[in-house]
Amino acid sequence: MLTFLFSLGAVFISEIGDKTQLLALLLAARFRKPIPILIAILAATTLNHGLSAVLGQWLTQVIPQDVMIWILALGFIAMAVWMLIPDSIEEESDSIAKWQHLGVFGATFILFFLAEIGDKTQIATVALAAQFHSVILVMMGTTVGMMLADGPAVFIGNKLADRLPIALIHKFGAFIFLAVGVVTLAQHYWSAIF
């Protein structure tokens, strides 16, 4: 349960102000059909994060544990820095027009799946699956975290975005990822000493 909750919280915080949340705002404004948008976001996120969690689990099988600890710790610390860099929405507006002919569900599914490739939340999913050794719980947690962050964006739109202290949320998220990175290293070396 801790794996699910931590994955949910980490991705929820990462998603606030992220390009995919901004994409959800744009899709809601363009199509004005929240239910098919949410279903497409759920489907795209489940597929993307499922594949990401499998990749994270696989990496733990092919990379030696000592090397993996360093990769995970440095990855979480890099995520902390990345959390402090704001995303923009210019590219996303152009992408919507390109895929609009596929309809609300099709455009949203493709745009979300593609936007998640290499995104903070996808990389966090890979790292969390490697850290916690649970594909299902991590995938479920990260997917629910995305939906909790993007669902209100779809329904409330720009009104919500204007009222959230996004910079503060990003700093809090950065602190959490930094702490996880440091604790990952400390835990490994503490157990090696004792």
Side-chain angles (χ1 to χ4, degrees):
M1 189 62 158
L2 178 64
T3 299
F4 171 80
L5 292 174
F6 189 85
S7 298
L8 184 156
V11 167
F12 175 78
I13 290 169
S14 298
E15 184 65 6
I16 302 296
D18 188 65
K19 70 179 177 181
T20 47
Q21 188 182 48
L22 300 173
L23 177 60
L25 291 168
L26 289 173
L27 288 163
R30 173 74 57 99
F31 293 120
R32 300 188 189 279
K33 294 185 178 184
I35 301 303
I37 291 170
L38 286 174
I39 293 169
I41 290 171
L42 176 63
T45 301
T46 301
L47 178 61
N48 189 293
H49 287 205
L51 294 170
S52 300
V54 168
L55 174 63
Q57 189 67 47
W58 176 76
L59 289 173
T60 64
Q61 305 302 314
V62 297
I63 297 175
Q65 183 180 8
D66 285 343
V67 174
M68 193 66 191
I69 293 296
W70 277 98
I71 290 170
L72 285 172
L74 294 175
F76 283 122
I77 292 167
M79 286 293 298
V81 173
W82 196 1
M83 285 289 300
L84 300 174
I85 301 169
D87 285 323
S88 69
I89 60 172
E90 286 100 28
E91 289 179 23
E92 309 312 328
S93 272
D94 295 339
S95 295
I96 292 173
K98 178 180 176 182
W99 297 101
Q100 189 170 346
H101 70 281
L102 296 176
V104 177
F105 180 88
T108 302
F109 180 87
I110 288 174
L111 288 167
F112 250 81
F113 187 84
L114 293 175
E116 272 298 293
I117 295 174
D119 193 48
K120 288 184 278 245
T121 51
Q122 183 191 41
I123 293 169
T125 302
V126 171
L128 289 164
Q131 174 79 12
F132 290 114
H133 306 289
S134 177
V135 170
I136 299 297
L137 289 175
V138 168
M139 181 202 62
M140 288 172 50
T142 59
T143 300
V144 170
M146 285 281 289
M147 295 309 294
L148 288 174
D150 293 337
V154 170
F155 282 108
I156 299 170
N158 289 323
K159 294 177 186 174
L160 176 66
D162 292 340
R163 295 185 182 173
L164 285 175
I166 291 176
L168 179 62
I169 291 168
H170 279 218
K171 287 176 186 168
F172 179 69
F175 172 76
I176 289 174
F177 279 113
L178 178 64
V180 170
V182 171
V183 167
T184 298
L185 277 178
Q187 187 178 32
H188 175 69
Y189 285 104
W190 182 263
S191 65
I193 293 170
F194 297 100

